[in-house]
Amino acid sequence: MILKISEIKEIEDLCLENRQNILKMVYSAQSGHIGGSLSACEIMTVLFNKCMKHSIGGKLAEDYQERDRFVLSKGHISPIYYSVLAQVGFIEKSELETFRKLGTRLQGHPSLWCPGVEIATGSLGQGLSMGCGIAMSLKLDKNPANVFVLLGDGELQEGNVWEAFMQAAHRNLDNLIAIIDRNRLQIDGNTECVKSLDNLSDKIKAFNWNVIEIDGHNIQEIYSSIEEAKNANKPTAIIANTIKGKGVSFMENNAGWHGKAPSQTDYKKAMLELK
């Protein structure tokens, strides 16, 4: 489960491309969510480029029944989702320019209009429940695919999430992997001030889940944790400690960049940092 130096460099280059795409998309639309897209950049890049089975032999994902499923519970970070979908071939990279434009397939929250999107999301706190349902149906069909759900830490303050934790353990959904983007900031500020989640690892373990805690910007740790989770005998939660706005100095750890589009000056400054 150790990546070669060349593989890590390849992922780093893809992450840089994704960060540039995020800035371009939100700036062009003058609408969208930058902070959480940047914090989840390494997670999404590794997942889609190294860990997920999403196509085989040229078949489209929906025709490949043993494909892994992905649920973006924090649906507002669609810029990073669309960028990785373009990287792995579901959409053309040129289509990213249509983000949030009238008539686009690339809506502010993921919709089934966009190839590669399994389920429309955006109502926070519901993604893990959706993942449970998909994982249960795969078990019934004896389908070996895994289900990945990416959650924001702020949405863990909703009770529906914890019902899903309980359901997944009760049904022994070892094909369900939840990845938590633990950047500690939400639209109203620090998560621990809004409604404390710590000690998050112990809380999830108490629901009889396997828990792995990692640096959410370390490519090797992300890859190893996902591969380990695939072989666990119970549902797994990967707590990925991240920095909101990662990669752009004046956006890092700044809740003000949760859902704000950059000005021309900010955009040029950010893009210079991402060269």
Side-chain angles (χ1 to χ4, degrees):
M1 292 195 299
I2 302 298
L3 293 172
K4 298 177 182 177
I5 294 175
S6 61
E7 290 178 296
I8 292 176
K9 178 61 168 62
E10 177 189 10
I11 294 296
E12 288 174 343
D13 290 343
L14 291 172
C15 286
L16 179 60
E17 178 185 50
N18 284 329
R19 285 196 161 91
Q20 292 169 340
N21 286 340
I22 290 164
L23 264 293
K24 290 175 184 176
M25 292 161 71
V26 177
Y27 174 68
S28 177
Q30 279 298 291
S31 178
H33 293 77
I34 288 180
S37 291
L38 291 174
S39 68
C41 187
E42 280 82 8
I43 297 167
M44 293 286 283
T45 306
V46 173
L47 181 61
F48 274 83
N49 285 280
K50 281 293 180 184
C51 300
M52 274 185 66
K53 298 181 298 180
H54 42 63
S55 61
I56 187 169
K59 289 183 179 179
L60 295 173
E62 57 265 30
D63 296 326
Y64 175 34
Q65 292 303 313
E66 293 187 5
R67 70 189 183 280
D68 291 331
R69 274 66 167 179
F70 175 73
V71 179
L72 182 64
S73 188
K74 49 182 293 185
H76 54 283
I77 66 159
S78 59
I80 181 59
Y81 194 9
Y82 298 141
S83 189
V84 294
L85 288 177
Q87 278 183 339
V88 299
F90 282 106
I91 58 176
E92 295 294 330
K93 291 184 179 180
S94 59
E95 190 171 355
L96 298 178
E97 298 172 9
T98 72
F99 175 66
R100 282 191 177 229
K101 303 291 177 60
L102 185 64
T104 184
R105 298 192 295 182
L106 310 187
Q107 297 288 310
H109 291 86
S111 78
L112 296 177
W113 292 348
C114 181
V117 174
E118 294 278 356
I119 190 164
T121 55
S123 296
L124 295 177
Q126 298 184 17
L128 193 59
S129 295
M130 296 174 184
C132 281
I134 298 169
M136 289 173 65
S137 69
L138 291 172
K139 287 276 192 184
L140 290 171
D141 289 339
K142 295 181 170 52
N143 188 321
N146 290 303
V147 181
F148 297 94
V149 181
L150 179 63
L151 303 102
D153 50 1
E155 67 177 311
L156 267 62
Q157 295 162 349
E158 301 196 29
N160 196 21
V161 177
W162 298 92
E163 292 179 28
F165 277 130
M166 186 162 46
Q167 173 72 356
H170 180 69
R171 294 293 181 183
N172 193 31
L173 300 179
D174 56 1
N175 57 342
L176 179 62
I177 300 168
I179 305 174
I180 299 165
D181 183 6
R182 185 71 166 118
N183 61 40
R184 294 180 175 268
L185 289 177
Q186 57 193 106
I187 194 168
D188 291 324
N190 188 285
T191 56
E192 304 314 289
C193 295
V194 176
K195 188 180 293 183
S196 179
L197 294 165
D198 281 333
N199 186 328
L200 184 57
S201 178
D202 288 345
K203 287 174 180 174
I204 300 174
K205 285 177 182 177
F207 280 72
N208 200 26
W209 277 56
N210 178 44
V211 178
I212 306 169
E213 192 157 0
I214 63 168
D215 175 349
H217 299 301
N218 184 300
I219 290 166
Q220 179 61 61
E221 288 188 26
I222 296 167
Y223 176 76
S224 296
S225 65
I226 292 171
E227 293 303 304
E228 179 184 338
K230 289 179 183 178
N231 298 307
N233 59 3
K234 59 172 67 174
T236 295
I238 299 171
I239 301 174
N241 293 296
T242 62
I243 297 171
K244 195 153 190 163
K246 174 69 173 178
V248 180
S249 61
F250 59 91
M251 294 182 181
E252 289 187 356
N253 280 322
N254 187 338
W257 286 101
H258 175 85
K260 183 174 76 171
S263 66
Q264 184 179 58
T265 300
D266 286 336
Y267 173 70
K268 288 181 178 179
K269 184 179 177 182
M271 291 301 287
L272 280 174
E273 293 189 16
L274 293 174
K275 282 190 174 181

